[in-house]
Each structure stands twice: as structure tokens, then as C-alpha cells.
């Protein structure tokens, strides 16, 4: 039997499951305390829990499904992990250091089917969705790494911006968020969590309705349909005007700000004209939007795209500012390791393949 990860259960789900097996609700709190506060790595370390309950948990769940395959550390403290899943697939997780805390970028799918033309993750089509447990375990593995370093550091922020489209794995992603913000677990502040989507419009509405108070980011990358369709084929299904309707709904429903992500691609979408067009698009939502300008991480297989030069980046930024738009140029992390989303994974897969051909 392929056992599920214990980390995939919300406290309500675990309480219900234990209840069905005759255990009182406080048992679930106890188990969670061991998982998220004591941070044990084996059921047998849950010493206050009765042997029959430990046996039941061991029979039905695993406590470790991810194995560390590669770990790269950059000079700025960024750590990139490649984890091997039970079925042998590789996923990527990144720990970043900021002035305000430690953030972790998590993966939600093995590969991605959206296939944006600039992205390394889209090079390998989706094999499968990650379970909620596999997403939670990425955070726990990073936290265990920090615990082992022994300086008492804690993951304080999460960005759902690794490999995959989180809104294409909606239910598991929502359970993951519930587990992360639960006061009985890691209790990560919901305002410290950001989920990024390429713009699956129907799910944007659903996300607004679910109303878990985490931040939403939308990968727009172009201010009009012609340009956006060229770089993101998903724009054919969900064009800019549909995205704007969904943004309006999200703002109205949640009263929260939404982040608009915009990768600057040299001579493609980085002209002042596009900045003017972008500013016009958000003119009536200045207070509720925030534009994050992202320096492009070049990907070998997408050599048609280069990073914008500094002059164009600043001109773009200034144009937005002059038009009263909230914006920032995103700080980069781990530039001396394979920093682009999905890049380490695709390189490692090639390397592993070559090795197996040789041996
Ligand atoms: N699938 C989701 C979340 C994962 S990608 C999405 O597309 O939003 C997270 C962010 O990284 C997106 O804004 C994406 O456009 C950006 N990204 C992808 N490849 C990149 C690259 N090579 N350089 C810089 N940003 C990249
Ligand atoms: Fe998928 Fe996001 Fe990469 Fe597009 S940018 S291919 S949606 S991971």
C-alpha cells in the first residue's frame, strides 16, 4: 500500500480520522505538536502517545516522503534543495534570506502544463500534481535543515512560486495553506504567504470565495493580448480583459491588494510604451494593486529571451511611478546558483540521464 504523508492532513482531518479509530480530539493536537513544534522525524519519537496509536499511525501514514537529492548554497545564503519523491520524481524548493525573515519558495506540481515560453518549468510537461503532504514536507524539510544548523531560525514567509501552476492543483494547495497558517502548527502569518498564478480565471474567482487571507500574485507579463499571447499561450484561454474582471472581483470580495508580476524581457515587453499601457490598465486600482518588476533569469533552452538592460528597467520603473503606480524591482536571490524557477531541476534531470546512459 502506498501510504500518504501525515503532513497532508489539516488538524480537522486528522482529528476526524483519529476519531473514527476511537481516539479523542486531543490526540490530534498532540500529534501536531510533535510534527510542527517538536519537529520529530519518526512516529516512534512521539513518546507521550500510546503504543497502539503510534502503531496505527505508522501503519497508515508516512512521516517522510521527500529525500534530499541535491542541496546548493549560494554566497548570499540562498539554499536550493532538490528533493526526490517516493516515485523518483524530482522537485525544487528554495530558501531565501531577506531583511524581514526567511522565505521558502515551494513547488506544487511535477512539471507544468501551462508552458510559458520563457520558463524552465514548462520545458518538462506535468507528470502529476503534488499531494498536500508533499507540499507541506518541503517547508518541513527546510525547517529541519534550519533546526540542524542550530541558530533557532524559523521559516517566516512562503511563496508558492516554484515549479507548477498552483491553481491547477487547487484543493491540495488550499489544504497546504490551511496547514501552514494553523495556530496549532507552524502558525505562519497568512499575510506572509503569497500564491502566484499564471491567471486561471475561474480559480481566481474560487480563491477569492474561499477567502483564506493570504496574498495573491498574478503573472501578467504583458499589458495587452497580442503580446501576452506571444509569451504565454494560456492567454488564449484567459485573455487580459477576463483577468481584469477577475482582479476586480478579487479586490471587491476580499478587500486585499493584489500583486501583478511582470518579468522584463529585453526588447519584448520592456519598452516605455508598454509601461504606459500597463499603468493605464491599473489606473483605477492604484490603491489595490502593486506591480512587481522581475529581472529575467535567462534559461538556456529559451535563448530568444534575454534580461533587460538596467537602463530599460529603470525607465520602465520610472514610467510606472510617474503614473502613480505602486511598484518595485524584485530583489534577486542565489544568482551564483541555478536561480531560475525550475532550472536546477531540469539541469539535474539531464545530468542524471547522462549518468545512467554512461553507466
Ligand atoms: N505558475 C505560477 C507560479 C510559478 S512561476 C505562475 O506562473 O505564476 C512563479 C513566477 O516566476 C511567475 O511570475 C513566473 O512568470 C516567474 N518566472 C518563471 N520563469 C522565470 C525566469 N526564468 N526568470 C524570472 N522569473 C520567472
Ligand atoms: Fe508554469 Fe508558471 Fe512556468 Fe508558466 S511561469 S510554465 S505557469 S511554472
Amino acid at each position: 500500500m502506498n501510504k500518504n504523508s501525515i503532513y497532508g492532513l489539516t488538524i480537522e482531518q486528522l482529528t476526524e480520522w483519529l476519531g473514527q479509530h476511537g481516539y479523542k480530539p486531543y490526540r490530534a493536537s498532540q500529534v501536531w505538536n510533535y510534527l510542527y513544534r517538536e519537529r520529530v522525524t519518526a512516529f516512534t519519537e512521539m513518546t507521550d502517545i500510546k503504543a497502539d496509536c503510534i502503531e496505527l499511525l505508522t501503519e497508515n501514514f508516512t512521516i517522510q516522503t521527500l529525500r534530499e537529492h541535491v542541496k546548493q548554497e549560494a554566497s548570499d545564503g540562498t539554499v536550493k534543495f532538490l528533493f526526490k519523491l517516493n516515485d523518483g520524481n524530482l522537485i525544487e524548493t528554495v530558501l531565501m534570506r531577506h531583511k524581514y525573515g526567511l522565505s521558502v519558495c515551494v513547488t506544487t506540481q511535477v512539471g507544468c502544463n501551462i508552458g510559458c515560453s520563457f520558463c524552465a518549468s514548462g520545458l518538462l510537461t506535468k507528470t502529476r500534481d503534488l499531494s498536500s503532504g508533499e507540499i507541506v514536507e518541503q517547508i518541513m524539510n527546510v525547517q529541519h535543515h534550519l533546526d540542524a544548523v542550530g541558530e533557532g531560525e524559523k521559516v517566516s514567509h512562503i511563496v508558492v512560486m516554484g515549479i507548477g501552476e498552483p491553481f491547477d492543483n487547487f484543493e491540495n494547495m488550499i489544504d497546504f495553506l490551511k496547514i501552514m497558517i494553523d495556530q496549532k502548527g507552524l502558525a505562519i502569518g497568512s499575510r506572509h504567504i503569497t500564491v502566484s498564478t499564471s491567471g486561471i480565471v475561474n480559480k481566481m474567482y474560487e480563491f477569492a470565495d474561499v477567502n483564506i487571507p493570504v496574498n495573491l500574485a498574478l503573472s501578467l507579463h504583458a499589458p495587452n493580448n497580442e503580446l501576452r499571447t506571444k509569451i504565454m499561450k494560456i492567454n488564449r484561454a484567459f485573455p487580459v480583459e477576463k483577468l481584469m474582471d477577475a482582479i476586480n472581483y478579487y479586490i471587491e470580495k476580499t478587500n486585499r491588494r493584489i500583486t501583478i508580476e511582470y518579468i522584463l524581457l529585453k526588447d519584448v515587453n520592456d519598452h516605455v510604451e508598454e509601461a504606459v499601457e500597463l499603468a493605464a490598465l491599473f489606473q483605477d486600482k492604484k490603491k489595490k494593486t502593486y506591480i512587481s518588476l522581475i529581472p529575467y533569469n535567462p534559461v538556456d533552452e529559451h535563448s530568444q529571451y534575454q534580461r533587460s538592460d538596467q537602463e530599460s528597467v529603470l525607465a520602465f520603473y520610472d514610467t510606472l511611478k510617474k503614473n502613480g503606480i505602486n511598484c518595485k524591482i524584485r530583489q534577486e536571490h542565489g544568482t551564483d546558483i541555478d536561480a531560475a524557477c525550475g532550472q536546477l531541476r531540469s539541469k539535474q534531470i539531464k545530468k542524471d540521464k547522462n549518468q545512467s546512459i554512461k553507466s
Side-chain angles (χ1 to χ4, degrees), residues 112 114 116 118-121 160-166 196-199 217-221 232 261-263 294-299 330 340-341 343:
C112 184
I114 308 295
C116 302
F118 50 81
C119 176
S121 301
V160 187
M161 294 189 185
I163 300 164
E165 169 47 56
S196 173
T197 177
S198 58
L218 168 69
S219 297
L220 189 65
H221 307 327
M232 298 173 77
E261 296 171 283
Y262 196 102
I263 299 182
I294 309 175
Y296 181 57
N297 274 312
V299 175
R330 186 185 284 172
C341 151
Q343 221 171 20

Side-chain angles (χ1 to χ4, degrees), residues 138-355:
Q138 294 172 59
I139 300 292
M140 294 315 295
N141 270 274
V142 174
Q143 187 57 56
H144 288 153
H145 159 85
L146 292 168
D147 292 343
V149 173
E151 286 174 10
E153 289 185 304
K154 264 200 76 185
V155 173
S156 59
H157 291 66
I158 296 173
V159 288
V160 187
M161 294 189 185
I163 300 164
E165 169 47 56
F167 281 8
D168 186 35
N169 185 13
F170 197 78
E171 306 295 322
N172 293 342
M173 192 260 318
I174 294 287
D175 277 352
F176 161 72
L177 297 176
K178 285 183 183 162
I179 294 165
M180 287 297 104
I181 64 178
D182 199 301
Q183 288 306 314
K184 288 202 161 101
L186 291 183
I188 294 184
S190 52
R191 311 276 164 186
H192 291 181
I193 302 179
T194 303
V195 178
S196 173
T197 177
S198 58
I200 316 287
V201 163
N202 48 324
K203 295 292 171 188
M204 287 173 71
Y205 284 93
E206 215 175 314
F207 192 62
D209 291 339
V210 173
N211 205 10
I212 296 178
V214 302
N215 307 307
L216 177 63
L218 168 69
S219 297
L220 189 65
H221 307 327
N224 60 59
N225 285 326
E226 199 189 332
L227 192 52
R228 194 165 188 269
T229 303
K230 267 191 202 151
I231 55 182
M232 298 173 77
K233 59 183 188 205
I234 184 120
N235 195 62
R236 288 206 188 93
F238 303 118
V240 175
E241 54 282 5
K242 291 262 162 49
L243 293 174
M244 296 310 287
D245 287 346
I247 291 170
N248 285 334
Y249 180 82
Y250 177 84
I251 294 172
E252 224 166 84
K253 182 91 200 214
T254 66
N255 199 27
R256 283 198 295 277
R257 282 210 312 189
I258 179 165
T259 300
I260 305 300
E261 296 171 283
Y262 196 102
I263 299 182
L264 289 161
L265 302 164
K266 187 177 167 61
D267 299 331
V268 175
N269 66 352
D270 65 346
H271 311 97
V272 166
E273 296 87 83
E274 276 109 31
V276 171
E277 210 178 334
L278 186 63
L281 211 50
F282 291 99
Q283 215 36 240
D284 63 339
K285 299 182 243 305
K286 279 188 212 162
K287 289 209 177 101
K288 287 290 173 192
T289 46
Y290 167 87
I291 297 187
S292 177
L293 298 174
I294 309 175
Y296 181 57
N297 274 312
V299 175
D300 293 349
E301 289 83 350
H302 300 314
S303 56
Q304 74 273 33
Y305 294 123
Q306 282 106 43
R307 170 184 291 237
S308 297
D309 49 50
Q310 197 58 12
E311 214 174 293
S312 313
V313 174
L314 291 177
F316 201 97
Y317 173 84
D318 285 344
T319 308
L320 292 180
K321 278 279 175 197
K322 258 186 235 144
N323 284 280
I325 301 288
N326 285 314
C327 61
K328 212 171 173 182
I329 300 166
R330 186 185 284 172
Q331 197 197 336
E332 289 184 274
H333 293 271
T335 38
D336 56 338
I337 52 178
D338 299 300
C341 151
Q343 221 171 20
L344 175 61
R345 173 175 178 260
S346 64
K347 280 192 184 167
Q348 188 65 35
I349 288 173
K350 272 193 235 155
K351 216 163 141 188
D352 289 353
K353 263 193 196 147
N354 286 341
Q355 268 170 4

